[in-house]
């Protein structure tokens, strides 16, 4: 018996997107996941759930082609067939194509999947299965970057998930407009957004970061980067297992191993 087409896994949700909205996570992917892509026999990347217009998939391809390898192939997958048809004029094969698909990745085996502002509209209880469905289909050494951001991409956060499960959480902010790191709580990934309550590690983290930011107020005259650098450095000194080096912190990022923030 011939196998029929695979049914896309997931549901159609709001398609809100914006040009340049995902620049922070894209820059982090170039810096942090570039090696996975360079080492891959087939540099295939999926942008899962690109939304009402394909603009962020177009940008992802451009950033990876310039920053990592020119022969990268980005496939934008959308569960909404109307959005797949609407994206067709933006295709530029073989480097950028669009197709219908969901968490099952339409039978592809990419080395990297970016899924942004997709799980936000699902239930928290659906996150683990969605992560697993995606990571089960990755190429060896592959990873999923799943996260959330605001409309303009000034506040965001994401989880790196691989075949072994969630590995890191990154918080990222546009420092020039950041009032307080507590604002990041509204843009946590689905796995954590309902966990910003006393007794949960991510709540302790946001509080500690906010306190460190207040304590570093004296550095504000030197600019928000200096203030953020001080605040992240203070977190590290206080025992938080902060990852990456200060050149990443300077971008307004903070990355920690998943166990430091995992739901209790
Ligand atoms: C809010 S938009 C996000 C657009 C873009 N990624 C961004 O961050 O700007 C979410 C999109 O994900 C799509 N979506 C939801 N679940 C999906 C799934 N399981 N597989 C593929 N697309 C999905 C929705 O149809 C919607 O177009």
């Amino acid at each position: 018996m011939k196998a029929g087409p695979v049914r896309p896994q997931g549901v159609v949700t709001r398609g809100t997107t914006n040009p340049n909205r995902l620049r922070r996570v894209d820059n982090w992917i170039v810096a942090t996941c570039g090696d996975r892509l360079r080492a891959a026999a087939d540099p295939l990347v999926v942008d899962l759930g690109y939304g009402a217009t394909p603009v962020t998939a177009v940008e992802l391809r451009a950033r990876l082609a310039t920053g990592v390898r020119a022969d990268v192939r980005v496939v934008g997958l959308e569960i909404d067939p109307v959005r797949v048809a609407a994206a067709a004029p933006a295709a530029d094969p073989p480097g950028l194509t669009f197709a219908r698909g969901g968490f099952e990745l339409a039978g592809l085996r990419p080395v990297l999947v970016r899924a942004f502002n997709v799980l936000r509209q699902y239930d928290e209880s659906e996150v683990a299965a969605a992560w697993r469905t995606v990571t089960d289909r990755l190429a060896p050494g592959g990873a999923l970057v799943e996260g959330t951001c605001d409309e303009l991409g000034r506040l965001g956060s994401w989880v790196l998930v691989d075949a072994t499960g969630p590995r890191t959480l990154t918080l990222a902010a546009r420092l020039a407009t950041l009032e307080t790191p507590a604002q990041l709580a509204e843009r946590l990934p689905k796995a954590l957004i309902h966990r910003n309550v006393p007794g949960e590690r991510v709540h302790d983290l946001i509080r500690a970061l906010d306190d460190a930011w207040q304590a570093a107020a004296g550095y504000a005259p030197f600019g928000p980067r200096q203030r953020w650098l001080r605040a992240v450095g203070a977190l590290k000194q206080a025992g938080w297992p902060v990852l990456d080096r200060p050149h990443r912190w300077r971008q307004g990022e903070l990355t920690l191993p998943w166990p430091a923030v995992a739901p209790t």
Side-chain angles (χ1 to χ4, degrees), residues 16-23 53-57 59 63 150-153:
T16 320
T17 189
N18 260 317
N20 231 6
R21 182 190 200 191
L22 303 185
R23 64 195 176 284
T53 77
V55 62
T56 59
E59 292 167 349
R63 289 180 181 128
D150 66 351
E151 286 69 16
L152 299 180

Side-chain angles (χ1 to χ4, degrees), residues 9 11 13-14 17 21 49-51 78 83 101-102 116-117 122:
Q9 287 184 32
V11 291
T13 57
R14 277 191 308 276
T17 189
R21 182 190 200 191
Y50 53 81
E78 243 299 331
R83 294 174 188 159
F116 242 74
N117 299 302
Y122 285 74

